[in-house]
Coordinates of all heavy atoms in Angstrom, one line a residue:
M25 N 128.8 -14.8 67.0 CA 127.7 -13.9 66.7 C 128.3 -12.6 66.3 O 129.4 -12.2 66.7 CB 126.8 -13.8 67.9 CG 125.7 -12.8 67.7 SD 124.4 -13.1 69.0 CE 123.1 -12.3 68.1
L26 N 127.5 -11.9 65.5 CA 127.9 -10.5 65.1 C 127.4 -9.5 66.1 O 126.4 -9.7 66.8 CB 127.2 -10.1 63.8 CG 127.7 -10.9 62.5 CD1 126.9 -10.6 61.3 CD2 129.2 -10.6 62.3
Y27 N 128.2 -8.4 66.3 CA 127.9 -7.3 67.2 C 128.1 -6.0 66.5 O 129.0 -5.9 65.7 CB 128.8 -7.4 68.5 CG 128.5 -8.7 69.2 CD1 129.2 -9.8 69.0 CD2 127.5 -8.7 70.2 CE1 128.9 -11.0 69.6 CE2 127.2 -9.8 70.9 CZ 127.9 -11.0 70.6 OH 127.7 -12.1 71.3
T28 N 127.3 -5.0 66.8 CA 127.5 -3.7 66.3 C 128.2 -2.9 67.4 O 127.8 -3.0 68.6 CB 126.2 -2.9 66.0 OG1 125.3 -2.9 67.1 CG2 125.5 -3.6 64.8
I29 N 129.1 -2.1 67.1 CA 129.8 -1.2 68.0 C 129.6 0.2 67.4 O 130.1 0.5 66.3 CB 131.3 -1.5 68.1 CG1 131.5 -2.9 68.6 CG2 132.0 -0.5 69.0 CD1 132.9 -3.4 68.5
V30 N 128.7 1.0 68.0 CA 128.4 2.3 67.5 C 128.9 3.3 68.5 O 128.6 3.4 69.7 CB 126.9 2.5 67.4 CG1 126.5 3.9 66.9 CG2 126.3 1.5 66.4
S31 N 129.8 4.2 68.0 CA 130.5 5.1 68.9 C 130.2 6.6 68.4 O 130.1 6.8 67.2 CB 132.0 5.0 68.8 OG 132.4 3.6 69.0
E32 N 130.0 7.4 69.4 CA 129.8 8.9 69.2 C 131.0 9.7 69.6 O 131.5 9.5 70.7 CB 128.5 9.3 70.0 CG 127.2 8.6 69.5 CD 126.8 9.1 68.2 OE1 127.0 10.2 67.8 OE2 126.2 8.2 67.4
D33 N 131.4 10.6 68.7 CA 132.6 11.4 69.0 C 132.3 12.5 70.0 O 131.2 13.0 70.0 CB 133.2 12.0 67.7 CG 133.9 11.0 66.9 OD1 133.7 9.8 67.0 OD2 134.7 11.5 66.0
V34 N 133.4 13.0 70.6 CA 133.3 14.3 71.4 C 133.3 15.4 70.3 O 133.7 15.1 69.1 CB 134.5 14.4 72.4 CG1 134.5 13.3 73.4 CG2 135.8 14.4 71.6
E35 N 133.0 16.6 70.7 CA 133.1 17.7 69.8 C 134.6 17.9 69.4 O 135.5 17.7 70.1 CB 132.6 19.0 70.5 CG 131.2 19.0 70.8 CD 130.3 19.1 69.5 OE1 130.6 19.8 68.6 OE2 129.3 18.3 69.5
D36 N 134.7 18.3 68.1 CA 136.1 18.6 67.6 C 137.1 17.5 67.8 O 138.2 17.7 68.2 CB 136.6 19.9 68.2 CG 135.7 21.1 68.0 OD1 135.3 21.3 66.8 OD2 135.5 21.9 68.9
S37 N 136.6 16.3 67.4 CA 137.4 15.1 67.6 C 138.5 14.9 66.6 O 139.4 14.0 66.7 CB 136.5 13.9 67.6 OG 135.9 13.7 66.4
L38 N 138.5 15.6 65.5 CA 139.4 15.3 64.4 C 140.9 15.3 64.7 O 141.6 14.3 64.3 CB 139.2 16.3 63.2 CG 139.9 16.0 61.9 CD1 139.5 14.6 61.4 CD2 139.5 17.0 60.8
P39 N 141.4 16.2 65.5 CA 142.8 16.1 65.9 C 143.1 14.9 66.7 O 144.1 14.2 66.5 CB 143.1 17.4 66.7 CG 142.0 18.3 66.3 CD 140.8 17.5 66.0
L40 N 142.2 14.5 67.6 CA 142.3 13.2 68.4 C 142.3 12.0 67.5 O 143.1 11.1 67.7 CB 141.3 13.2 69.4 CG 141.2 14.3 70.5 CD1 139.9 14.2 71.3 CD2 142.4 14.3 71.3
R41 N 141.4 12.0 66.5 CA 141.3 10.9 65.6 C 142.6 10.7 64.8 O 143.1 9.6 64.6 CB 140.1 11.1 64.6 CG 138.8 10.7 65.1 CD 137.7 11.0 64.0 NE 136.5 10.4 64.4 CZ 136.1 9.2 64.0 NH1 136.9 8.5 63.2 NH2 135.0 8.6 64.4
K42 N 143.1 11.8 64.3 CA 144.3 11.8 63.5 C 145.5 11.2 64.3 O 146.3 10.4 63.8 CB 144.7 13.2 63.0 CG 143.8 13.6 61.9 CD 144.2 15.0 61.4 CE 143.3 15.5 60.3 NZ 143.7 16.8 59.8
E43 N 145.6 11.5 65.5 CA 146.7 11.0 66.4 C 146.6 9.5 66.6 O 147.6 8.8 66.7 CB 146.6 11.8 67.7 CG 147.8 11.6 68.6 CD 147.7 12.4 69.9 OE1 147.6 13.7 69.7 OE2 147.7 11.9 71.0
A44 N 145.4 9.0 66.8 CA 145.2 7.5 67.1 C 144.8 6.7 65.9 O 144.6 5.5 66.1 CB 144.2 7.4 68.2
R45 N 144.7 7.3 64.7 CA 144.1 6.6 63.6 C 144.9 5.3 63.2 O 144.3 4.3 63.0 CB 144.0 7.5 62.4 CG 143.3 6.9 61.2 CD 143.0 7.9 60.1 NE 142.0 7.3 59.2 CZ 142.4 6.8 58.0 NH1 143.7 6.7 57.7 NH2 141.5 6.3 57.2
A46 N 146.2 5.4 63.1 CA 147.0 4.2 62.7 C 146.8 3.0 63.6 O 146.5 1.9 63.1 CB 148.5 4.6 62.7
A47 N 146.8 3.2 64.9 CA 146.5 2.1 65.9 C 145.1 1.6 65.8 O 144.9 0.4 65.9 CB 146.9 2.6 67.3
H48 N 144.2 2.5 65.6 CA 142.8 2.1 65.4 C 142.6 1.2 64.2 O 142.0 0.2 64.3 CB 141.9 3.4 65.3 CG 140.5 3.2 65.0 ND1 139.5 2.8 65.9 CD2 139.8 3.4 63.8 CE1 138.4 2.7 65.3 NE2 138.5 3.1 64.0
L49 N 143.1 1.7 63.1 CA 143.0 0.9 61.9 C 143.7 -0.5 61.9 O 143.3 -1.5 61.4 CB 143.5 1.7 60.7 CG 142.7 2.9 60.3 CD1 143.3 3.6 59.1 CD2 141.3 2.5 59.9
E50 N 144.9 -0.5 62.6 CA 145.6 -1.8 62.8 C 144.7 -2.8 63.5 O 144.8 -4.0 63.1 CB 146.8 -1.5 63.7 CG 147.8 -2.7 63.8 CD 149.0 -2.3 64.6 OE1 149.6 -1.3 64.3 OE2 149.4 -3.1 65.5
R51 N 144.0 -2.5 64.5 CA 143.1 -3.4 65.2 C 142.0 -3.9 64.2 O 141.6 -5.1 64.2 CB 142.4 -2.8 66.4 CG 143.5 -2.5 67.4 CD 142.9 -1.8 68.6 NE 142.2 -2.8 69.5 CZ 141.0 -2.8 69.8 NH1 140.1 -1.9 69.4 NH2 140.5 -3.8 70.6
L52 N 141.4 -3.0 63.4 CA 140.4 -3.3 62.4 C 141.0 -4.3 61.4 O 140.3 -5.2 61.0 CB 139.8 -2.1 61.8 CG 138.9 -1.3 62.7 CD1 138.6 0.1 62.1 CD2 137.6 -2.0 63.1
E53 N 142.2 -4.0 60.9 CA 142.8 -4.9 59.9 C 143.0 -6.3 60.5 O 142.9 -7.3 59.8 CB 144.2 -4.3 59.5 CG 144.0 -3.1 58.6 CD 143.4 -3.4 57.2 OE1 143.4 -4.6 56.8 OE2 143.0 -2.5 56.5
A54 N 143.3 -6.4 61.8 CA 143.5 -7.7 62.4 C 142.2 -8.4 62.4 O 142.1 -9.7 62.1 CB 144.0 -7.5 63.8
L55 N 141.0 -7.8 62.7 CA 139.7 -8.4 62.6 C 139.5 -8.9 61.2 O 138.9 -10.0 61.0 CB 138.6 -7.5 63.1 CG 138.4 -7.3 64.6 CD1 137.2 -6.3 64.8 CD2 138.1 -8.6 65.3
K56 N 139.8 -8.0 60.3 CA 139.6 -8.4 58.8 C 140.4 -9.6 58.4 O 139.9 -10.5 57.8 CB 139.9 -7.2 58.0 CG 139.8 -7.4 56.5 CD 140.2 -6.2 55.7 CE 140.3 -6.4 54.3 NZ 140.9 -5.4 53.5
A57 N 141.6 -9.6 58.8 CA 142.5 -10.8 58.5 C 142.0 -12.1 59.1 O 142.2 -13.1 58.5 CB 143.9 -10.5 59.0
E58 N 141.3 -12.0 60.2 CA 140.8 -13.2 60.9 C 139.4 -13.5 60.3 O 138.8 -14.5 60.7 CB 140.6 -12.9 62.4 CG 141.9 -12.7 63.1 CD 141.8 -12.2 64.5 OE1 140.6 -12.0 65.0 OE2 142.8 -11.9 65.2
G59 N 138.9 -12.7 59.3 CA 137.6 -13.0 58.7 C 136.4 -12.7 59.6 O 135.3 -13.2 59.4
R60 N 136.6 -11.8 60.6 CA 135.6 -11.5 61.6 C 134.9 -10.1 61.4 O 134.0 -9.8 62.0 CB 136.2 -11.5 63.0 CG 136.7 -12.9 63.3 CD 137.4 -13.0 64.6 NE 136.9 -12.2 65.7 CZ 137.6 -11.7 66.7 NH1 138.8 -11.9 66.8 NH2 137.0 -11.0 67.6
L61 N 135.5 -9.3 60.4 CA 135.0 -7.9 60.2 C 134.0 -7.9 59.1 O 134.3 -8.3 57.9 CB 136.1 -7.0 59.9 CG 135.8 -5.5 59.7 CD1 135.2 -4.9 61.0 CD2 137.0 -4.7 59.3
L62 N 132.7 -7.5 59.4 CA 131.7 -7.4 58.3 C 131.9 -6.0 57.7 O 131.8 -5.9 56.4 CB 130.3 -7.6 58.9 CG 129.2 -7.6 57.9 CD1 129.3 -8.8 57.0 CD2 127.9 -7.7 58.7
L63 N 132.0 -4.9 58.5 CA 132.1 -3.6 58.0 C 132.6 -2.7 59.1 O 132.4 -2.9 60.3 CB 130.9 -3.0 57.3 CG 129.6 -2.8 58.1 CD1 129.7 -1.4 58.8 CD2 128.4 -2.9 57.3
A64 N 133.2 -1.6 58.7 CA 133.7 -0.5 59.6 C 133.8 0.8 58.9 O 134.2 0.8 57.7 CB 135.0 -1.0 60.3
G65 N 133.5 1.8 59.6 CA 133.8 3.1 59.0 C 133.2 4.3 59.9 O 132.5 4.0 60.8
P66 N 133.7 5.5 59.6 CA 133.2 6.7 60.3 C 132.0 7.3 59.8 O 131.6 7.0 58.6 CB 134.4 7.6 60.2 CG 134.9 7.3 58.8 CD 134.7 5.8 58.6
N67 N 131.3 8.1 60.6 CA 130.2 8.9 60.2 C 130.7 10.4 59.9 O 131.0 11.1 60.8 CB 129.1 9.0 61.3 CG 128.6 7.6 61.7 OD1 128.9 7.1 62.8 ND2 127.9 7.0 60.8
P68 N 130.8 10.8 58.6 CA 131.2 12.1 58.3 C 130.2 13.2 59.0 O 129.0 12.9 59.0 CB 131.2 12.2 56.8 CG 131.3 10.8 56.4 CD 130.5 10.0 57.4
A69 N 130.8 14.3 59.4 CA 130.0 15.4 60.0 C 129.2 16.1 59.0 O 128.2 16.8 59.3 CB 130.9 16.3 60.8
V70 N 129.5 16.0 57.7 CA 128.8 16.6 56.6 C 128.5 15.6 55.6 O 129.2 14.5 55.6 CB 129.6 17.8 56.0 CG1 129.7 19.0 57.1 CG2 130.9 17.4 55.5
D71 N 127.6 15.9 54.6 CA 127.3 14.9 53.6 C 128.3 14.8 52.5 O 128.2 15.4 51.4 CB 125.9 15.3 53.0 CG 125.3 14.3 52.2 OD1 125.7 13.1 52.2 OD2 124.3 14.6 51.5
S72 N 129.5 14.2 52.9 CA 130.6 14.1 51.9 C 131.4 12.9 52.4 O 131.6 12.7 53.6 CB 131.4 15.3 51.9 OG 132.6 15.2 51.2
D73 N 132.0 12.2 51.4 CA 133.0 11.1 51.7 C 134.2 11.7 52.4 O 134.9 11.0 53.2 CB 133.4 10.4 50.5 CG 132.3 9.4 50.0 OD1 131.4 9.1 50.8 OD2 132.4 9.0 48.8
D74 N 134.6 12.9 52.0 CA 135.7 13.6 52.6 C 135.2 14.9 53.3 O 135.1 15.9 52.6 CB 136.8 13.9 51.5 CG 138.0 14.6 52.1 OD1 138.1 14.8 53.4 OD2 138.9 15.0 51.3
P75 N 135.0 14.8 54.6 CA 134.4 16.0 55.3 C 135.4 17.1 55.6 O 135.0 18.1 56.1 CB 133.8 15.3 56.6 CG 134.7 14.2 56.8 CD 135.1 13.6 55.5
G76 N 136.7 16.8 55.3 CA 137.7 17.8 55.5 C 137.7 18.3 57.0 O 137.6 17.4 57.9
P77 N 137.8 19.6 57.3 CA 137.9 20.0 58.7 C 136.7 19.8 59.5 O 136.8 19.8 60.7 CB 138.3 21.5 58.5 CG 137.9 21.9 57.2 CD 138.0 20.6 56.3
A78 N 135.5 19.5 58.8 CA 134.3 19.2 59.6 C 134.5 17.9 60.4 O 133.9 17.8 61.5 CB 133.1 19.1 58.7
G79 N 135.3 17.0 59.9 CA 135.6 15.8 60.7 C 134.5 14.8 60.7 O 133.7 14.7 59.7
F80 N 134.4 14.1 61.8 CA 133.4 13.0 61.9 C 132.7 13.1 63.2 O 133.1 13.7 64.2 CB 134.2 11.6 61.9 CG 135.0 11.5 60.6 CD1 136.3 11.9 60.5 CD2 134.4 10.9 59.5 CE1 137.0 11.7 59.3 CE2 135.1 10.8 58.2 CZ 136.4 11.2 58.2
T81 N 131.5 12.4 63.3 CA 130.7 12.4 64.5 C 130.6 11.1 65.2 O 130.1 11.0 66.3 CB 129.2 12.8 64.1 OG1 128.7 11.8 63.2 CG2 129.2 14.2 63.5
G82 N 131.2 10.1 64.6 CA 131.2 8.8 65.3 C 131.7 7.7 64.3 O 132.2 8.0 63.2
S83 N 131.5 6.4 64.7 CA 132.0 5.3 63.9 C 131.0 4.1 64.1 O 130.3 4.0 65.2 CB 133.4 4.8 64.4 OG 134.3 5.9 64.2
V84 N 131.0 3.2 63.2 CA 130.3 2.0 63.2 C 131.2 0.8 62.9 O 131.9 0.9 61.9 CB 129.1 2.0 62.3 CG1 128.3 0.7 62.3 CG2 128.1 3.1 62.6
V85 N 131.2 -0.2 63.7 CA 131.9 -1.5 63.4 C 130.9 -2.6 63.6 O 130.1 -2.6 64.6 CB 133.0 -1.7 64.4 CG1 133.7 -3.1 64.2 CG2 134.1 -0.6 64.2
I86 N 130.8 -3.5 62.6 CA 130.0 -4.7 62.8 C 131.0 -5.9 62.6 O 131.6 -6.0 61.5 CB 128.9 -4.8 61.8 CG1 127.9 -3.6 62.0 CG2 128.1 -6.2 62.0 CD1 126.8 -3.6 61.0
A87 N 131.2 -6.7 63.6 CA 132.2 -7.7 63.6 C 131.7 -8.9 64.4 O 130.8 -8.8 65.3 CB 133.5 -7.2 64.1
E88 N 132.4 -10.0 64.2 CA 132.1 -11.3 64.9 C 132.9 -11.4 66.1 O 134.2 -11.2 66.1 CB 132.3 -12.5 64.0 CG 131.9 -13.8 64.6 CD 132.1 -15.0 63.6 OE1 132.3 -14.7 62.5 OE2 132.1 -16.1 64.2
F89 N 132.3 -11.7 67.3 CA 133.0 -12.0 68.5 C 132.4 -13.2 69.2 O 131.2 -13.5 68.9 CB 132.9 -10.8 69.5 CG 133.6 -9.5 69.0 CD1 132.9 -8.6 68.2 CD2 135.0 -9.4 69.2 CE1 133.6 -7.5 67.7 CE2 135.6 -8.2 68.7 CZ 135.0 -7.3 68.0
P90 N 133.1 -13.9 70.1 CA 132.6 -15.1 70.8 C 131.4 -14.7 71.7 O 130.5 -15.6 71.9 CB 133.8 -15.6 71.5 CG 135.0 -15.1 70.9 CD 134.6 -13.7 70.3
S91 N 131.4 -13.5 72.2 CA 130.3 -13.1 73.2 C 130.2 -11.6 73.2 O 131.1 -10.9 72.8 CB 130.7 -13.7 74.6 OG 131.8 -13.0 75.1
L92 N 129.1 -11.2 73.8 CA 128.9 -9.8 74.1 C 130.0 -9.2 74.9 O 130.5 -8.1 74.6 CB 127.5 -9.5 74.7 CG 127.2 -8.1 75.0 CD1 127.2 -7.2 73.8 CD2 125.8 -8.0 75.7
E93 N 130.5 -9.9 75.9 CA 131.5 -9.5 76.8 C 132.8 -9.3 76.0 O 133.5 -8.3 76.2 CB 131.7 -10.4 78.0 CG 130.6 -10.5 78.9 CD 129.4 -11.3 78.4 OE1 129.5 -12.2 77.5 OE2 128.3 -11.0 78.9
D94 N 133.1 -10.2 75.1 CA 134.3 -10.1 74.2 C 134.2 -8.9 73.3 O 135.2 -8.1 73.1 CB 134.5 -11.3 73.4 CG 135.0 -12.5 74.3 OD1 135.8 -12.3 75.2 OD2 134.6 -13.6 74.0
A95 N 133.1 -8.6 72.8 CA 132.8 -7.5 71.9 C 133.0 -6.2 72.7 O 133.7 -5.2 72.2 CB 131.4 -7.5 71.3
R96 N 132.5 -6.1 73.9 CA 132.6 -4.9 74.8 C 134.1 -4.7 75.1 O 134.6 -3.6 75.1 CB 131.8 -5.1 76.0 CG 130.3 -4.8 75.8 CD 129.6 -4.8 77.1 NE 128.2 -4.5 76.8 CZ 127.2 -5.1 77.5 NH1 127.4 -6.0 78.4 NH2 125.9 -4.8 77.1
A97 N 134.8 -5.8 75.5 CA 136.2 -5.7 75.8 C 137.0 -5.2 74.7 O 137.9 -4.3 74.8 CB 136.7 -7.0 76.3
W98 N 136.7 -5.7 73.4 CA 137.4 -5.2 72.3 C 137.2 -3.7 72.1 O 138.1 -2.9 71.8 CB 137.0 -6.0 71.0 CG 137.8 -5.7 69.8 CD1 139.0 -6.3 69.4 CD2 137.6 -4.7 68.8 NE1 139.5 -5.8 68.3 CE2 138.6 -4.8 67.9 CE3 136.6 -3.8 68.7 CZ2 138.7 -3.9 66.8 CZ3 136.6 -2.9 67.6 CH2 137.6 -3.0 66.7
A99 N 135.9 -3.3 72.2 CA 135.5 -1.9 72.0 C 136.2 -1.0 73.0 O 136.7 0.1 72.7 CB 134.0 -1.7 72.0
D100 N 136.2 -1.5 74.3 CA 136.9 -0.7 75.3 C 138.4 -0.5 75.1 O 138.9 0.5 75.6 CB 136.6 -1.4 76.7 CG 135.2 -1.3 77.2 OD1 134.4 -0.5 76.6 OD2 134.8 -2.0 78.1
A101 N 139.0 -1.4 74.4 CA 140.4 -1.3 74.2 C 140.8 -0.5 72.9 O 142.0 -0.5 72.6 CB 141.0 -2.7 74.1
D102 N 139.8 0.0 72.3 CA 140.1 0.8 71.0 C 141.0 2.0 71.3 O 140.7 2.7 72.3 CB 138.8 1.3 70.5 CG 138.9 1.8 69.0 OD1 139.8 2.7 68.8 OD2 138.1 1.4 68.2
P103 N 142.0 2.2 70.5 CA 142.8 3.4 70.7 C 142.1 4.7 70.7 O 142.5 5.7 71.3 CB 143.8 3.3 69.6 CG 143.9 1.9 69.3 CD 142.5 1.4 69.5
Y104 N 141.0 4.8 70.0 CA 140.1 6.0 70.0 C 139.6 6.2 71.4 O 139.4 7.4 71.8 CB 139.1 5.9 68.9 CG 139.5 6.3 67.5 CD1 138.6 6.2 66.5 CD2 140.8 6.6 67.2 CE1 138.9 6.5 65.2 CE2 141.2 6.9 65.9 CZ 140.2 6.9 64.9 OH 140.6 7.2 63.6
V105 N 139.2 5.2 72.1 CA 138.8 5.4 73.5 C 139.9 6.0 74.3 O 139.7 6.9 75.0 CB 138.3 4.0 74.1 CG1 138.0 4.1 75.5 CG2 137.0 3.5 73.3
A106 N 141.0 5.4 74.3 CA 142.2 5.9 75.0 C 142.6 7.3 74.7 O 143.0 8.1 75.6 CB 143.4 4.9 74.9
A107 N 142.4 7.7 73.4 CA 142.7 9.0 73.0 C 141.6 10.1 73.3 O 141.9 11.2 73.0 CB 143.0 9.0 71.5
G108 N 140.5 9.6 73.8 CA 139.4 10.5 74.1 C 138.5 10.9 72.9 O 137.9 11.9 73.0
V109 N 138.6 10.2 71.8 CA 137.8 10.5 70.6 C 136.3 10.3 70.9 O 135.5 11.1 70.5 CB 138.2 9.6 69.5 CG1 137.3 9.8 68.3 CG2 139.7 9.9 69.0
Y110 N 136.0 9.2 71.6 CA 134.6 8.9 71.8 C 134.0 9.4 73.1 O 134.6 9.2 74.2 CB 134.4 7.3 71.8 CG 134.7 6.7 70.4 CD1 135.3 5.5 70.4 CD2 134.5 7.3 69.2 CE1 135.7 4.8 69.2 CE2 134.8 6.7 68.0 CZ 135.4 5.5 68.0 OH 135.7 4.8 66.8
R111 N 132.8 9.9 73.1 CA 132.1 10.3 74.3 C 131.2 9.1 74.8 O 130.8 9.0 76.0 CB 131.3 11.5 74.2 CG 130.1 11.4 73.3 CD 129.4 12.7 73.2 NE 128.7 12.7 71.9 CZ 127.6 13.2 71.7 NH1 126.9 13.9 72.6 NH2 127.0 13.2 70.5
S112 N 130.8 8.2 73.8 CA 130.0 7.1 74.2 C 130.2 5.9 73.2 O 130.5 6.2 72.0 CB 128.5 7.4 74.2 OG 128.1 7.7 72.9
V113 N 130.1 4.7 73.7 CA 130.2 3.5 72.8 C 129.1 2.5 73.2 O 129.0 2.2 74.4 CB 131.6 2.9 73.0 CG1 131.7 1.6 72.2 CG2 132.7 3.8 72.7
A114 N 128.3 2.1 72.3 CA 127.3 1.1 72.5 C 127.6 -0.1 71.8 O 128.0 -0.1 70.6 CB 125.9 1.7 72.0
V115 N 127.5 -1.3 72.4 CA 127.8 -2.6 71.9 C 126.5 -3.4 72.0 O 126.0 -3.6 73.1 CB 129.0 -3.3 72.5 CG1 129.3 -4.6 71.9 CG2 130.2 -2.4 72.5
K116 N 126.0 -3.9 70.8 CA 124.8 -4.7 70.8 C 124.9 -5.9 69.9 O 125.6 -5.8 68.9 CB 123.6 -3.9 70.3 CG 123.3 -2.7 71.2 CD 122.1 -2.0 70.6 CE 121.7 -0.8 71.4 NZ 120.6 -0.1 70.9
P117 N 124.2 -7.0 70.2 CA 124.2 -8.1 69.3 C 123.5 -7.7 68.0 O 122.7 -6.8 68.0 CB 123.3 -9.2 70.0 CG 123.4 -8.8 71.4 CD 123.5 -7.3 71.5
F118 N 123.9 -8.3 66.9 CA 123.4 -7.9 65.5 C 123.1 -9.2 64.8 O 123.9 -10.1 64.7 CB 124.5 -7.1 64.8 CG 124.1 -6.7 63.4 CD1 123.2 -5.7 63.2 CD2 124.6 -7.4 62.3 CE1 122.8 -5.3 61.9 CE2 124.2 -7.0 61.0 CZ 123.3 -6.0 60.8
K119 N 121.9 -9.2 64.2 CA 121.5 -10.3 63.3 C 121.4 -9.8 61.9 O 120.6 -9.0 61.5 CB 120.2 -10.9 63.8 CG 119.7 -12.0 62.9 CD 118.3 -12.5 63.3 CE 117.9 -13.6 62.4 NZ 116.6 -14.1 62.6
K120 N 122.3 -10.3 61.0 CA 122.3 -10.0 59.6 C 121.2 -10.7 58.9 O 121.1 -11.9 59.0 CB 123.7 -10.3 59.0 CG 123.7 -9.9 57.6 CD 125.1 -10.2 56.9 CE 125.0 -9.9 55.5 NZ 126.1 -10.4 54.7
V121 N 120.4 -9.9 58.2 CA 119.3 -10.5 57.5 C 119.5 -10.3 56.0 O 119.3 -11.2 55.2 CB 117.9 -9.9 57.9 CG1 116.8 -10.4 57.0 CG2 117.6 -10.2 59.4
L122 N 119.9 -9.1 55.5 CA 120.1 -8.8 54.2 C 121.4 -8.1 54.0 O 121.8 -7.3 54.9 CB 119.0 -8.0 53.6 CG 117.6 -8.6 53.5 CD1 116.6 -7.5 53.2 CD2 117.6 -9.7 52.5
P123 N 122.1 -8.1 52.9 CA 121.9 -9.0 51.8 C 122.5 -10.4 52.2 O 123.3 -10.6 53.0 CB 122.8 -8.4 50.7 CG 123.8 -7.6 51.4 CD 123.2 -7.2 52.6

C-alpha cells in the first residue's frame, strides 16, 4: 500500500538539512530503485523552486511499504530525523485516485 510521510521542519533547518542531505537522498534513491517511490520533495519556505537562504518548511514522501508500521519505521530512520531537521512526522495510508 502507499503511504504519505509529511514532515514539518524546525525553525532555521537549512544548515541541518545541508548536513544530512546526502544520506537522506540516498534512502530515497533506494526506494526509487526498488520501484516503491511515487514522489518526494521539500516544501520551500517561499514561493520559489530555489528558496535560497529562506530554506524549507518540511517534506512530503509518498511511497509503497508493506504496512503502516514499516512506513513509520522507515520514516523514523530518516537521517533528517537523526539530524534534528524535523519537529514532527506524520505517516498515513494513501489511496491514489488520480492521475
Side-chain angles (χ1 to χ4, degrees):
M25 177 164 199
L26 292 172
Y27 295 88
T28 59
I29 301 170
V30 179
S31 306
E32 295 291 327
D33 283 21
V34 298
E35 292 293 320
D36 302 316
S37 64
L38 191 56
L40 299 171
R41 277 179 167 268
K42 287 180 178 180
E43 190 174 302
R45 187 169 190 265
H48 171 78
L49 291 177
E50 185 177 315
R51 296 177 79 238
L52 290 169
E53 287 292 343
L55 280 181
K56 180 182 170 187
E58 294 168 6
R60 297 171 42 206
L61 182 64
L62 186 62
L63 65 86
N67 302 110
V70 295
D71 192 11
S72 173
D73 284 340
D74 181 3
F80 301 92
T81 61
S83 301
V84 175
V85 174
I86 301 178
E88 183 179 347
F89 293 93
S91 68
L92 180 58
E93 293 76 23
D94 289 323
R96 283 187 180 141
W98 187 90
D100 288 344
D102 192 310
Y104 279 178
V105 171
V109 172
Y110 296 144
R111 70 179 152 147
S112 67
V113 178
V115 181
K116 297 180 181 183
F118 178 77
K119 180 182 176 184
K120 182 180 176 193
V121 175
L122 295 170

